[in-house]
């Protein structure tokens, strides 16, 4: 067992087991307090909510509570390890919600792999939460589960493995294009991987201006082509080409996007890319090609990974706390494309505004103190402008509210 593994086990077992606990937020030190917190006083908010369900956001924790939900079928580089074994990851996600955005979260691990049954279970739980963060659910079932829940529920449902990755990739992508002087409508993109994260990333890149005909996607069997039998999600990216392998399509590519597995990109592939190649090797913990090996054959490359020990870490925690903070505060019924795009642009602009902006700094770092106050208001504004917000936020008052919250989280 490595030193890191041993330290991690000791960290999780020390003191109170796990990483999260429940905190009481109102006085309960007297009989009078208890009569308000529970019987008989608790009946008053129950009656009020029964008359007007929106009052739940005023009288309960619903408006600041997110459900972090998984079935453990695609856990953090570990694969299908089951719901129970995925619990430490879900607890960790709850920690990040609280640490970065002051949002409470319940982790819920559901021992169910049938997508229709899972939808029914999650939908039945929705009164508890102001939003639902789906996590580590295997593709392609995750697409169906998220779509059906979004159609049924009037609270935000967000599969972070898809959209969180896509948002941070989009941000780094815009800045890499900026640094290399590329026209987004002309860049050639080659993607290794065709799972949930890859598909969401590609959708985001097209939304930002990449042309679909300039995108080539490879799964474990090779290039997605029109003569292959493919799922609906993959079919949308099929090209009419005789190319079969990643090496067949990598020539003169401006961008490599890896959301697949270790070692799938070779140095010879990088050599065949355009000058100043942009390489997002996001397989975790071991990337498609290590940055030092990319730079060995292409010193002018811009490289990003999912790892914290290299520059340009593509980390979902750069966006999901602030998306949910904005969604909860604005009463958004969903996290829509306008909100996701606003997050992409805000993150990119934040990195460009930093003195260290350059090829080794294309996205903010996870602990950048500007994130809560700099990104969240722009997402909330997009929610209002796109018509999904149920609350009207005064920009100045909201900025002050976030500033105050940020001080409590430092």
């Amino acid at each position: 067992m490595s030193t890191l593994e041993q330290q991690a086990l000791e960290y999780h077992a020390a003191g109170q087991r796990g990483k999260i606990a429940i905190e009481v937020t109102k006085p309960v030190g007297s009989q009078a307090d208890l009569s308000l917190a529970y019987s008989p006083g608790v009946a008053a908010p129950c009656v009020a909510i029964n008359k007007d369900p929106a009052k739940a956001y005023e009288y309960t924790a619903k408006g600041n509570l997110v459900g972090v939900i998984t079935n453990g079928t695609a856990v953090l580089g570990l694969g299908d390890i089951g719901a129970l074994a995925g619990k430490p990851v879900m607890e960790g996600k709850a920690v990040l919600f609280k640490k970065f955005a002051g949002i409470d979260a319940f982790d819920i691990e559901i021992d169910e792999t049938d997508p229709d049954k899972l939808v029914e279970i999650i939908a039945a739980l929705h009164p508890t939460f102001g939003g639902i963060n789906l996590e580590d659910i295997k593709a392609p079932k995750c697409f169906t589960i998220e779509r059906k829940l979004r159609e049924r529920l009037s609270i935000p449902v967000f599969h972070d493995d898809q959209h969180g990755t896509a948002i941070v990739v989009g941000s780094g992508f815009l800045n890499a294009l900026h640094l290399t002087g590329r026209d987004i409508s002309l860049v050639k993109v080659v993607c290794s991987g065709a799972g949930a994260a890859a598909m969401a990333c590609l959708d985001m890149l097209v939304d930002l201006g990449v042309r679909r005909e300039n995108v080539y996607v490879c799964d474990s069997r090779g290039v997605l082509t029109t003569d292959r039998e493919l799922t609906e999600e993959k079919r949308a990216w099929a090209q009419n080409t005789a190319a079969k392998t990643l090496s067949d399509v990598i020539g003169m590519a401006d961008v490599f996007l890896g959301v697949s597995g270790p070692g799938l990109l070779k140095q010879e592939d990088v050599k065949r890319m355009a000058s100043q190649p942009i390489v997002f090797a996001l397989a975790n913990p071991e990337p498609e090609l290590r940055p030092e090996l990319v730079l060995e054959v292409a010193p002018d490359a811009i490289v990003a990974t999912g790892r914290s020990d290299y520059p340009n870490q593509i980390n979902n925690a750069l966006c999901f706390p602030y998306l949910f903070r904005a969604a909860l505060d604005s009463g958004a019924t969903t996290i829509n494309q306008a909100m996701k795009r606003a997050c992409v642009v805000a993150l990119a602009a934040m990195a460009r505004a930093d003195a260290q902006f350059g090829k080794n700094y294309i996205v903010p770092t996870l602990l950048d103190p500007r994130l809560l106050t700099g990104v969240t208001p722009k997402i909330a504004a997009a929610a209002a402008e796109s018509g999904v917000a149920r609350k009207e936020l005064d920009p100045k008052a909201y900025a002050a509210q976030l500033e105050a919250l940020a001080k409590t989280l430092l």
Side-chain angles (χ1 to χ4, degrees), residues 32 71 94 99 125 199 231-232 245 316 340 342 368 374 405:
N71 65 358
K99 168 65 179 174
L125 291 170
M199 295 301 180
T231 63
E232 180 182 352
T245 68
N316 295 359
K340 289 183 280 188
D368 192 316
L405 175 60

Side-chain angles (χ1 to χ4, degrees), residues 8-335:
L9 293 175
E10 292 172 357
Y11 172 90
H12 283 79
Q16 183 167 322
R17 305 299 191 249
K19 299 187 288 282
I20 56 176
I22 292 175
E23 182 180 67
V24 178
T25 62
K26 299 293 190 296
V28 287
S30 68
Q31 186 63 43
D33 292 337
L34 292 173
S35 70
L36 296 174
Y38 200 54
S39 180
V42 74
C46 291
V47 171
I49 293 168
N50 181 250
K51 291 179 179 178
D52 180 5
K55 291 292 184 181
Y57 289 91
E58 185 175 343
Y59 296 133
T60 76
K62 180 180 174 75
N64 195 50
L65 185 61
V66 168
V68 178
I69 301 179
T70 192
N71 65 358
T73 52
V75 176
L76 192 64
L78 301 174
D80 186 355
I81 61 174
L84 180 60
K87 184 172 174 62
V89 180
M90 301 310 114
E91 286 190 0
K93 198 64 175 279
V95 168
L96 298 180
F97 269 114
K98 188 69 172 180
K99 168 65 179 174
F100 295 126
I103 295 171
D104 296 314
F106 289 165
D107 67 292
I108 299 180
E109 294 75 32
I110 302 175
D111 190 12
E112 180 58 70
T113 58
D114 182 283
D116 292 326
K117 290 181 180 178
L118 196 58
V119 166
E120 292 300 324
I121 294 168
I122 297 171
L125 291 170
H126 91 273
T128 304
F129 303 110
I132 291 172
N133 184 103
L134 300 174
E135 192 80 11
D136 294 351
I137 300 174
K138 189 176 182 180
K141 292 179 181 179
C142 61
F143 299 114
T144 301
I145 292 165
E146 186 195 39
R147 176 177 54 79
K148 288 185 175 181
L149 287 170
R150 285 168 62 94
E151 290 170 353
R152 287 179 60 167
L153 304 182
S154 60
I155 60 173
V157 178
F158 185 80
H159 186 217
D160 188 44
D161 301 308
Q162 293 181 58
H163 310 299
T165 302
I167 287 166
V168 185
V169 165
S171 172
F173 176 81
L174 288 180
N175 280 342
L177 294 188
H178 177 84
L179 287 166
T180 58
R182 285 176 161 96
D183 181 338
I184 194 170
S185 68
L186 300 178
V187 294
K188 176 182 176 181
V189 178
V190 173
C191 178
S192 174
M199 295 301 180
C201 288
L202 295 173
D203 284 336
M204 177 59 75
L205 297 188
V206 168
D207 183 70
L208 292 172
V210 170
R211 291 180 179 172
R212 189 176 288 264
E213 60 266 28
N214 292 340
V215 178
Y216 295 82
V217 184
C218 303
D219 65 5
S220 60
R221 293 176 52 206
V223 180
L224 302 188
T225 60
T226 52
D227 62 353
R228 286 180 53 186
E229 290 188 16
L230 300 168
T231 63
E232 180 182 352
E233 290 80 16
K234 291 184 180 182
R235 196 160 52 244
W237 298 99
Q239 291 276 22
N240 183 15
T241 175
K244 299 298 182 184
T245 68
L246 187 147
S247 294
D248 291 339
V249 294
I250 198 75
M252 294 307 293
D254 299 282
V255 181
F256 170 81
L257 173 62
V259 201
S260 49
L264 293 179
L265 181 69
K266 309 301 181 186
Q267 284 185 312
E268 289 302 315
D269 297 326
V270 176
K271 287 180 182 179
R272 299 180 58 230
M273 294 178 69
S275 62
Q276 293 184 286
I278 298 166
V279 177
F280 283 53
L282 306 183
N284 218 348
E286 185 61 34
E288 285 78 5
L289 186 64
R290 288 243 177 181
E292 60 268 26
L293 297 178
V294 174
L295 295 169
E296 189 175 282
V297 295
D300 57 353
I302 295 177
V303 188
T305 71
R307 295 172 56 125
S308 60
D309 54 348
Y310 288 108
N312 299 326
Q313 184 189 19
I314 303 300
N315 191 319
N316 295 359
L318 284 170
C319 68
F320 72 79
Y322 316 111
L323 280 163
F324 272 97
R325 180 75 276 159
L328 293 170
D329 292 343
S330 65
T333 56
T334 186
I335 294 175

